[in-house]
Amino acid sequence: GNSVTQMEGPVTLSEEAFLTINCTYTATGYPSLFWYVQYPGEGLQLLLKATKADDKGSNKGFEATYRKETTSFHLEKGSVQVSDSAVYFCAPNDYKLSFGAGTTVTVRA
Amino acid sequence: EAQVTQNPRYLITVTGKKLTVTCSQNMNHEYMSWYRQDPGLGLRQIYYSMNVEVTDKGDVPEGYKVSRKEKRNFPLILESPSPNQTSLYFCASSLIVAGRTGELFFGEGSRLTVL
């Protein structure tokens, strides 16, 4: 099956700092890849996705590129805000899938 | 509005008292799944369903049952809850496209405490 290895947190940043969360995948075939975000007290929601190699997903200033050569889907944002404080999860599209702990990001004003 | 609805959102119960957490989606999704979220252990899959009458175990199915009699509903049943089932539970659903799941839509969560 498919799996991902995601950078462990927690990550603490100041506002306007650059954020990178590493995610690498192991796949049989070519899965779609997703980043989900969980804000405090809420369920997960889709942040962005990419369905094939070299696709770039983007949303809310976040970007991630599906790189087949490095089997990676790293999440980046150039200038974070306090409102970006959340837990971030990288995931492939699999029926049987546990998400792991995700990466907790705290942005300080 | 497209949504996944879970009930109850909060529940405190006692050991051994059967309970059901309901999950309903209005998007005609084939795939539905249950997860529990615990500090340090992340979000772990309990059961999933590919369609009506098709269910399968996730990573932590012990102590839980599910059913999928209708496409929109996927209840999680705790026949005899124990304190180690105290957790935050999430239901999710998705279309199945070309044999794979798509974007997962999550409910708001159900916080269960078993005393």
Side-chain angles (χ1 to χ4, degrees):
Chain A
N2 303 320
S3 65
V4 296
T5 301
Q6 184 177 340
M7 174 178 135
E8 291 188 9
V11 175
T12 302
L13 303 163
S14 297
E15 255 191 329
E16 300 184 2
F18 184 85
L19 170 68
T20 298
I21 304 176
N22 291 340
C23 172
T24 56
Y25 67 89
T26 303
T28 53
Y30 301 99
S32 295
L33 296 172
F34 301 84
W35 276 101
Y36 291 90
V37 59
Q38 184 180 27
Y39 298 107
E42 299 183 11
L44 280 71
Q45 58 185 273
L46 180 70
L47 179 60
L48 53 83
K49 67 180 181 182
T51 57
K52 60 184 187 297
D54 299 325
D55 264 3
K56 178 187 281 189
S58 61
N59 187 24
K60 297 183 180 182
F62 289 89
E63 292 183 341
T65 300
Y66 189 154
R67 298 201 186 279
K68 184 180 170 184
E69 64 276 11
T70 54
T71 64
S72 66
F73 193 54
H74 305 325
L75 183 68
E76 297 181 335
K77 185 171 185 180
S79 178
V80 294
Q81 304 300 313
V82 171
S83 57
D84 294 323
S85 297
V87 184
Y88 295 82
F89 298 88
C90 179
N93 57 337
D94 259 349
Y95 304 135
K96 188 168 183 176
L97 176 67
S98 287
F99 283 75
T103 302
T104 299
V105 174
T106 301
V107 181
R108 294 182 173 166
Chain B
E1 180 189 354
Q3 59 185 5
V4 178
T5 304
Q6 296 179 224
N7 281 295
R9 295 287 315 281
Y10 302 91
L11 179 64
I12 300 174
T13 190
V14 295
T15 299
K17 186 176 181 180
K18 180 180 179 180
L19 69 92
T20 299
V21 186
T22 64
C23 175
S24 180
Q25 49 92 7
N26 62 0
M27 295 167 280
N28 202 35
H29 286 170
E30 296 88 1
Y31 178 86
M32 296 184 76
S33 183
W34 275 104
Y35 306 86
R36 60 177 289 173
Q37 188 173 32
D38 303 287
L41 297 175
L43 199 68
R44 296 176 292 169
Q45 188 179 48
I46 303 171
Y47 271 96
Y48 65 95
S49 170
M50 303 287 288
N51 214 324
V52 175
E53 304 291 1
V54 181
T55 63
D56 208 345
K57 296 178 181 178
D59 289 328
V60 289
E62 297 78 17
Y64 304 94
K65 286 175 58 177
V66 293
S67 69
R68 188 92 183 272
K69 293 184 171 57
E70 303 167 286
K71 197 172 186 179
R72 64 183 295 123
N73 296 322
F74 189 44
L76 179 69
I77 303 156
L78 286 73
E79 293 271 1
S80 182
S82 62
N84 65 12
Q85 292 178 298
T86 292
S87 188
L88 179 58
Y89 291 86
F90 288 100
C91 178
S93 72
S94 167
L95 286 171
I96 293 179
V97 179
R100 290 185 179 273
T101 58
E103 170 190 354
L104 287 168
F105 291 79
F106 284 82
E108 293 183 326
S110 297
R111 185 167 292 282
L112 171 64
T113 302
V114 183
L115 302 176

